[in-house]
Amino acid sequence: MDNGYVLAIDQGTTGSTVLIFNQAGEVCGRASAEIAQYYPQPGWVEHDPQEIWSVTLDVVGAALDQAKAKPGDLRAIGITNQRETSLLWDRHSGLPVARAVVWQDRRTAHLCDELKQEGLEPLWQEKTGLLIDPYFSATKVHWLLDQSDDLRLRAAAGEIAFGTVDSWLVWKLTGGRCHVTDYSNASRTLLFNIHELDWDDDILARLDIPRAMLPTVKPSSYIYGETDPKAFLGHRVPIAGIAGDQQAALFGQACYRPGLAKTTYGTGSFLLMNTGRKPVASRQRLLTTIAWGIGDEPVEYALEGSIFITGAALQWLRDGLGIISSAAESEQLAASLQGNDDVYFVPGLTGLGAPHWDAYARGMIIGITRGCTKAHLARAALESIAYQTRDVVDAMSRESGIDLRELRADGGAVANRFLMQFQADVLGVPVEIPSITETTAQGAAYLAGLAVGFWSSREELAERWQLAWRYEPQMEQAQRDHLHKRWKQAVNRSLGWAEDPKG
Ligand SMILES: Nc1ncnc2c1ncn2[C@@H]1O[C@H](COP(=O)(O)OP(=O)(O)OP(=O)(O)O)[C@@H](O)[C@H]1O
Ligand SMILES: [Mg+2]
């Protein structure tokens, strides 16, 4: 028995969370803190890279204190992160060039239209597994490079680095020694050929992005380097795991075999199905993505349905409208009604992702009458999470030919019993909640622990997966169909709204 720990950093959209795991896989320490969200223009979302770093470091300290662990007890660090969010920094000064452009940001919608009009989508989809959408990093990097005259030249000369949040954190943790990312994060940039496992020169050329600014791509479970004692609490600790948050959650949920799927309810929701060593091309507007690479083993792939706004709809009711004081309060409000009274909320606050991919869709609440209360809005927000998930599950079934028999769920919103029951009802299949719902951090810890031999194998980890709760569907089929039909009608009315703001 090793008395040490693996530390997992989960740098999410909402904030940073750090979990400390012992060898038995138990959580011994936990801390989290939110980061500021900047909305400088409608449809824009930004984060401050320096804040991401400083908040993360603070949270590491707090989690260590809680576990009563010392930095010297850490056997490895695993990192998981909000994906696609794009940062540029100066390699000499280590300073960010601008605020990070967050995955939800829609500022490059017009550039994406141009690329699609050029007919590039089929080829880029084949190479990268993705669609052309502002969601992915590529057009964000192009936009950032356009912001000052010499930036592109300096990037080509190797002076400016690009990274997703994982790369930025590793850069900071290693005192600027490592500029790396992993396969799963690279596969979200729209710059990476997921078959050849290399950056794609044609896409780079079209977007005028110099290769010299890109990180080196490594497996997800791999020793990338050690922390610089000056940057990290006076200690050298191997950084040994990196994965995008959704792939990390798939790993934490022990979905190691083809056909196994999970969905994570955070800011948005992301349903991923393991497809093994085969990248399955999608005809249903799902994404083909790299799940992970473990050491020297061949990489594994997943199919993904990305929903941009789920838990964030509750945050908007809380922070934007101020009609609830916490996300949790939505549960009793929703349950205070017998039904939705035909009120629907399409949370296209940052456009709609899978299966619509409409960067110009916007949020919409429909069906309001004089009897409408905040309970209706809370209920409609929660229901929208379940309907969006149903749309993605339907697309996934059509794509894979596999009917889902149950759904493994995790993330913050699984605490909401109304939502989980409604989800099972709308899907018509059981929803399963594991005992550890912070599977994102768990997955990052597992990847890092495997690389340093703290844990021996995936089989060992899979045995730890434990069911905590199972929600069985109770709704009649006719009601399920009716609700879903009304939802789809509402979605259709929200599409394309922002397309011509002056029209
Ligand atoms: N009881 C609840 N009912 C509904 N939603 C909830 C509840 N508790 C938390 N949430 C929502 O879950 C989200 C937080 O979940 P979680 O902590 O997993 O997200 P996160 O990891 O911070 O998200 P991300 O990684 O996308 O930043 C928030 O959007 C919040 O509104
Ligand atoms: Mg998260």
Side-chain angles (χ1 to χ4, degrees):
M1 180 77 191
D2 183 332
N3 291 324
Y5 305 95
V6 171
L7 179 138
I9 296 174
D10 174 2
Q11 204 305 301
T13 316
T14 322
S16 298
T17 302
V18 169
L19 261 60
I20 295 175
F21 293 86
N22 64 16
Q23 209 175 22
E26 294 158 346
V27 177
C28 303
R30 182 192 188 283
S32 69
E34 298 209 346
I35 56 169
Q37 312 287 321
Y38 297 92
Y39 309 111
Q41 293 189 30
W44 292 32
V45 187
E46 298 179 347
H47 288 158
D48 173 359
Q50 296 285 33
E51 187 194 8
I52 288 179
W53 165 241
S54 64
V55 165
T56 301
L57 204 55
D58 289 348
V59 172
V60 166
L64 283 168
D65 286 349
Q66 214 210 16
K68 298 196 173 58
K70 296 184 213 62
D73 297 334
L74 298 178
R75 301 292 180 259
I77 295 175
I79 296 175
T80 179
N81 54 288
Q82 52 168 319
R83 307 173 302 171
E84 300 98 10
T85 297
S86 303
L87 292 87
L88 305 190
W89 66 90
D90 181 316
R91 288 186 201 266
H92 301 301
S93 68
L95 294 175
V97 166
R99 284 211 198 116
V101 181
V102 175
W103 57 276
Q104 299 165 318
D105 193 290
R106 312 275 88 194
R107 77 184 62 177
T108 58
H110 286 299
L111 173 58
C112 289
D113 290 346
E114 265 173 54
L115 298 169
K116 284 190 266 193
Q117 276 153 17
E118 288 169 33
L120 291 168
E121 190 163 63
L123 182 60
W124 287 21
Q125 183 180 16
E126 192 194 308
K127 289 176 170 191
T128 67
L130 311 176
L131 298 163
I132 294 180
D133 191 89
Y135 175 32
F136 306 107
S137 313
T139 57
K140 301 180 197 291
V141 180
H142 175 92
W143 188 94
L144 282 164
L145 287 173
D146 274 351
Q147 296 317 296
S148 88
D149 289 341
D150 63 341
L151 216 46
R152 230 178 221 101
L153 289 175
R154 292 177 61 211
E159 293 172 24
I160 300 292
F162 154 73
T164 39
V165 170
D166 53 312
S167 299
W168 171 242
L169 290 177
V170 174
W171 172 271
K172 297 298 281 183
L173 284 165
T174 59
R177 277 187 195 82
C178 289
H179 183 211
V180 295
T181 188
D182 88 300
Y183 291 126
S184 71
N185 274 295
S187 77
R188 312 299 299 186
T189 57
L190 197 69
L191 298 171
F192 193 69
N193 186 313
I194 60 170
H195 313 283
E196 292 170 6
L197 304 183
D198 192 11
W199 303 112
D200 188 277
D201 285 318
D202 295 335
I203 300 177
L204 292 175
R206 170 60 188 87
L207 292 173
D208 221 348
I209 297 175
R211 197 181 247 268
M213 71 189 304
L214 304 177
T216 309
V217 189
K218 298 285 187 189
S220 319
S221 182
Y222 177 88
I223 301 174
Y224 310 93
E226 288 183 332
T227 55
D228 174 357
K230 288 203 266 323
F232 186 80
L233 311 168
H235 279 265
R236 289 185 201 286
V237 183
I239 303 172
I242 301 179
D245 54 5
Q246 302 310 322
Q247 286 94 332
L250 190 70
F251 203 80
Q253 282 272 31
C255 295
Y256 302 145
R257 279 181 291 112
L260 289 178
K262 68 86 201 174
T263 190
T264 303
Y265 300 89
T267 300
S269 286
F270 300 83
L271 184 88
L272 274 77
M273 182 188 274
N274 185 323
T275 64
R277 291 180 181 172
K278 205 173 103 211
V280 175
S282 174
R283 265 171 270 116
Q284 303 288 334
R285 303 189 71 69
L286 298 172
L287 307 175
T288 309
T289 201
I290 298 182
W292 47 68
I294 309 294
D296 300 333
E297 295 172 25
V299 302
E300 290 161 61
Y301 296 86
L303 267 177
E304 171 174 325
S306 325
I307 306 168
F308 297 153
I309 303 278
T310 58
L314 281 308
Q315 287 175 330
W316 179 70
L317 294 187
R318 185 192 67 182
D319 305 336
L321 295 188
I323 60 169
I324 54 175
S325 56
S326 70
E329 195 190 322
S330 63
E331 180 170 343
Q332 44 150 108
L333 278 171
S336 72
L337 301 174
Q338 293 303 312
N340 67 10
D341 292 336
D342 218 23
V343 177
Y344 289 82
F345 174 15
V346 182
L349 310 185
T350 58
L352 288 173
H356 313 284
W357 297 102
D358 183 352
Y360 299 104
R362 287 294 178 267
M364 184 188 76
I365 300 167
I366 194 164
I368 300 172
T369 61
R370 287 193 65 177
C372 188
T373 64
K374 68 178 183 177
H376 289 85
L377 299 190
R379 184 169 179 127
L382 290 174
E383 287 194 359
S384 78
I385 298 177
Y387 299 131
Q388 293 186 94
T389 304
R390 159 88 190 256
D391 289 341
V392 165
V393 166
D394 287 354
M396 195 74 82
S397 301
R398 285 196 298 271
E399 191 78 75
S400 63
I402 304 170
D403 278 333
L404 210 65
R405 277 182 300 152
E406 75 261 320
L407 184 64
R408 283 187 180 183
D410 56 72
V414 300
N416 193 307
R417 286 158 300 183
F418 171 86
L419 171 62
M420 290 298 108
Q421 182 58 51
F422 192 77
Q423 184 69 80
D425 286 341
V426 163
L427 287 174
V429 300
V431 174
E432 295 189 339
I433 316 291
S435 53
I436 294 186
T437 55
E438 284 193 276
T439 53
T440 306
Q442 193 178 23
Y446 282 179
L447 289 165
L450 283 174
V452 297
F454 190 69
W455 291 303
S456 64
S457 68
R458 285 197 237 183
E459 290 70 34
E460 178 195 342
L461 299 171
E463 276 170 25
R464 296 230 179 86
W465 190 92
Q466 267 187 346
L467 182 68
W469 198 256
R470 190 176 156 101
Y471 292 87
E472 298 287 346
Q474 289 165 356
M475 190 180 278
E476 298 285 333
Q477 183 71 35
Q479 193 190 353
R480 175 181 303 136
D481 291 344
H482 172 75
L483 292 170
H484 191 228
K485 188 180 103 198
R486 292 296 279 166
W487 159 257
K488 287 203 281 199
Q489 290 172 334
V491 168
N492 282 333
R493 292 177 190 222
S494 76
L495 299 177
W497 178 254
E499 199 140 18
D500 185 1
K502 293 182 203 77

